[in-house]
């Protein structure tokens, strides 16, 4: 049997330092063995390339070069995981407790995405388990999606669920494929129609789930969201409030203002395609939630603010958004094409997707833009021109 060499694991946005190659788990080896010995379905050509080629990135600095290499690895793993599903082999394993197995019809599913957050996962889980669910029509379930953590995160969750009376299932992915893919796996595994999205370094207040559930249950909203308190990880002091404005498509097209922490209607979100995994081809992780809000807006779905502080968002130096911002212009160009319908509707805005429409960009953005168009022309990519917006 041919030995498959896995690309080294790396952070999905929480750190940039390369890690040493990690020894493949027995489940990973089994998955690769299945791939090697399985015939592709008839609708998939054996000669057709499975791995998508990443879009070229701007060679502005050594840091961007390193990110570009990591992006290429992510895209390779994403497509390997997709191939596993095509041939009927789930690229993950699950571990659950007895409470999860006996809870067949939860009224709320909480999807927690995790990568190397051993420092925070207990606080996150405790906050969900302490939720006030006395007025709900059923139980809640917790789905922890581990994106190939290299620290003790997964083993800590295993220990936690073994002694918890709350229904918990740990899903351990075989491939480190990023946030969007992890959330999509959580959505597919969720047994409730209403799913709360949570990252493992954040936490919620006891009334969060019940307040949002009562708001979305008897409505046609695609999602409901509460106000989020951002706090500094070191000082623990409040930094600001986010997700504190009403749903407004014009405001959304102008710039992102709603966080991922929200309760969503699973069926609607899956109908619009779930979280977009192709964004890694245009930059870094971090705008999956913004992309989802825009998809809902373009298809005329509505969401609703609940004007209460219901959760807390940890601000720390390793946050993926610090890297994502380097690709803001790339995303704006891509979104201008992807969401062209709503761009046309709000064509008089002075800003689109967080970037000024004026040609008089800052010198950094101007340089990025010019290099981007040269690369697009060379590789015959999308014809959208920033000046056409």
């Amino acid at each position: 049997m041919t030995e498959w060499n896995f690309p080294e694991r790396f952070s999905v946005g929480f750190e940039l330092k390369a890690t040493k190659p990690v020894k493949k788990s027995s489940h990973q080896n089994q998955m690769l063995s299945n791939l090697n010995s399985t015939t592709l379905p008839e609708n998939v050509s054996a000669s057709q390339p499975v791995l998508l080629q990443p879009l070229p990135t701007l060679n502005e600095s050594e840091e961007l070069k390193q990110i570009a290499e990591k992006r290429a690895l992510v895209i390779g793993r994403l497509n390997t995981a997709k191939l596993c599903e095509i041939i009927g082999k789930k690229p993950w394993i699950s571990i659950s407790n007895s409470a999860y197995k006996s809870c067949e019809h939860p009224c709320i599913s909480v999807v927690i995405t995790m990568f190397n957050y051993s420092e925070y996962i207990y606080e996150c889980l405790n906050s969900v388990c302490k939720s006030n669910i006395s007025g709900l029509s059923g139980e809640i379930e917790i789905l922890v999606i581990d994106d190939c953590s290299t620290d003790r995160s997964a083993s800590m969750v295993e220990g936690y669920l073994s002694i918890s009376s709350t229904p918990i299932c740990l899903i351990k992915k075989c491939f480190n494929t990023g946030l969007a893919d992890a959330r999509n796996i959580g959505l597919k595994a969720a047994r409730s129609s209403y799913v709360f999205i949570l990252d493992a370094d954040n936490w919620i207040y006891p009334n969060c789930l019940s307040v949002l559930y009562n708001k979305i249950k008897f409505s046609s909203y695609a999602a409901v969201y509460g106000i989020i308190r951002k706090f500094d990880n070191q000082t623990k002091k409040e930094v600001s409030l986010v997700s504190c404005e009403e749903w407004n498509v014009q405001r959304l097209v102008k710039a992102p203002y709603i966080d991922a922490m929200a309760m969503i209607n699973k069926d609607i979100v899956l109908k619009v395609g779930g979280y977009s995994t192709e964004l890694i081809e245009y930059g870094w992780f971090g705008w999956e939630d913004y992309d989802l809000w825009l998809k809902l807006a373009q298809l005329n779905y509505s969401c609703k603010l609940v004007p209460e502080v219901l959760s807390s968002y940890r601000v720390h130096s390793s946050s993926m958004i610090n890297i994502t911002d380097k690709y803001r212009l790339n995303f704006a160009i891509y979104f201008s094409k992807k969401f062209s319908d709503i761009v046309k509707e709000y064509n008089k805005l002075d800003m689109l997707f967080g970037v000024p429409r004026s040609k008089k960009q800052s010198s950094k953005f101007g340089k990025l833009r010019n290099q981007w168009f040269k690369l697009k022309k060379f590789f015959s990519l999308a014809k959208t021109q920033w000046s056409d917006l």
Side-chain angles (χ1 to χ4, degrees):
M1 180 183 71
T2 303
E3 177 70 8
W4 284 50
N5 293 318
F6 269 55
E8 62 176 346
R9 294 180 181 179
F10 73 100
S11 164
V12 292
F14 306 112
E15 60 184 82
L16 279 177
K17 295 180 180 178
T19 59
K20 295 180 179 179
V22 179
K23 183 179 180 181
K24 296 189 286 288
S25 68
S26 58
H27 187 64
Q28 282 179 328
N29 281 321
Q30 182 61 47
M31 291 300 303
L32 293 177
S33 175
N34 290 335
L35 281 174
N36 284 332
S37 60
T38 305
T39 303
L40 291 175
E42 292 181 2
N43 61 338
V44 179
S45 170
S47 61
Q48 179 181 348
V50 176
L51 302 185
L52 297 176
Q53 292 299 317
L55 292 180
T57 54
L58 304 175
N59 187 14
E60 186 187 43
S61 66
E62 186 62 32
E63 183 182 26
L64 289 181
K65 287 182 183 179
Q66 293 175 10
I67 298 173
E69 292 173 358
K70 295 177 185 296
R71 287 169 55 201
L73 292 177
V74 173
I75 294 170
R77 288 195 289 267
L78 266 171
N79 286 278
T80 303
K82 289 177 183 176
L83 178 57
C84 288
E85 295 194 66
I86 288 174
I87 64 176
K89 308 294 182 180
K90 293 181 179 179
W92 64 79
I93 58 173
S94 60
I95 302 168
S96 59
N97 58 12
S98 57
Y100 178 85
K101 295 170 183 174
S102 62
C103 174
E104 296 181 356
H105 303 289
C107 64
I108 299 172
S109 297
V110 179
V111 171
I112 301 174
T113 47
M114 177 177 73
F115 179 83
N116 285 359
Y117 271 165
S118 58
E119 185 178 354
Y120 311 119
I121 186 59
Y122 279 167
E123 184 178 20
C124 177
L125 288 170
N126 285 337
S127 73
V128 179
C129 290
K130 291 178 181 178
S131 294
N132 180 6
I133 60 172
S134 57
L136 298 181
S137 59
E139 294 184 86
I140 65 171
E141 67 172 2
I142 301 175
L143 301 166
V144 181
I145 318 299
D146 179 57
D147 198 17
C148 289
S149 293
T150 58
D151 65 358
R152 296 176 52 247
S153 299
S155 61
M156 290 173 67
V157 175
E158 286 188 52
Y160 191 99
L161 67 83
S162 67
I163 60 174
S164 177
S165 59
T166 301
I168 303 175
C169 179
L170 169 65
I171 297 177
K172 299 170 68 174
K173 294 170 57 182
C174 301
F175 303 96
N176 173 233
T177 52
L179 187 58
D181 188 51
R183 287 179 179 165
N184 286 337
I185 290 174
L187 287 178
K188 294 173 185 176
R191 298 177 294 179
S192 171
S193 295
Y194 304 104
V195 179
F196 184 78
I197 301 298
L198 181 62
D199 290 333
D201 58 333
N202 299 326
W203 52 271
I204 62 175
Y205 291 98
N207 64 331
C208 175
L209 298 179
S210 59
V211 168
L212 294 179
Y213 176 78
N214 289 328
K215 191 68 176 180
I216 197 173
K217 174 67 175 178
F218 305 104
S219 74
S220 59
Y221 295 126
V224 295
Y225 55 96
I227 299 173
I228 301 171
R229 167 185 168 267
K230 293 180 72 171
F231 70 96
D232 183 88
N233 187 45
Q234 292 185 328
T235 65
K236 308 305 178 186
K237 293 182 178 180
E238 182 176 309
V239 175
S240 63
L241 297 177
V242 295
S243 294
C244 52
E245 298 181 39
E246 288 284 358
W247 176 258
N248 183 296
V249 178
Q250 178 173 308
R251 173 74 176 84
L252 189 68
V253 173
K254 190 171 184 178
Y257 73 97
I258 307 173
D259 186 70
M261 264 192 284
M263 185 169 291
I264 61 178
N265 183 311
K266 180 184 70 174
D267 295 333
I268 292 177
V269 170
L270 289 177
K271 186 177 180 180
V272 303
Y275 290 90
S276 299
T277 57
E278 89 279 359
L279 297 185
I280 188 62
E281 298 177 27
Y282 298 86
W284 195 244
F285 303 103
W287 270 23
E288 296 84 358
D289 49 324
Y290 186 31
D291 175 88
L292 177 61
W293 298 128
L294 289 166
K295 286 198 291 189
L296 293 172
Q298 181 154 266
L299 292 173
N300 297 316
Y301 288 104
S302 182
C303 303
K304 184 65 178 176
L305 166 70
V306 175
E308 298 181 38
V309 176
L310 299 176
S311 56
S312 284
Y313 178 105
R314 191 183 309 271
V315 179
H316 45 91
S317 58
S318 57
S319 175
M320 70 172 68
I321 200 65
N322 296 324
I323 306 169
T324 304
D325 281 344
K326 299 178 186 297
Y327 293 92
R328 183 178 291 265
L329 182 59
N330 287 23
F331 282 128
I333 294 170
Y334 174 58
F335 283 175
S336 69
K337 180 177 179 65
K338 183 175 182 178
F339 303 110
S340 59
D341 290 346
I342 48 179
V343 168
K344 292 175 183 176
E345 186 175 352
Y346 300 102
N347 59 7
K348 296 187 182 299
L349 293 176
D350 60 351
M351 178 178 289
L352 284 177
F353 312 117
V355 176
R357 291 182 68 165
S358 171
K359 295 181 181 179
K360 296 180 179 179
Q361 308 283 342
S362 67
S363 58
K364 179 179 178 181
F365 277 149
K367 184 184 295 184
L368 290 172
R369 180 197 62 193
N370 292 336
Q371 292 185 44
W372 173 255
F373 287 140
K374 288 179 181 178
L375 288 169
K376 281 174 60 175
K377 183 177 180 180
F378 180 77
F379 286 95
S380 299
L381 301 176
K383 297 180 180 180
T384 302
Q385 294 289 330
W386 189 247
S387 59
D388 293 336
L389 300 182

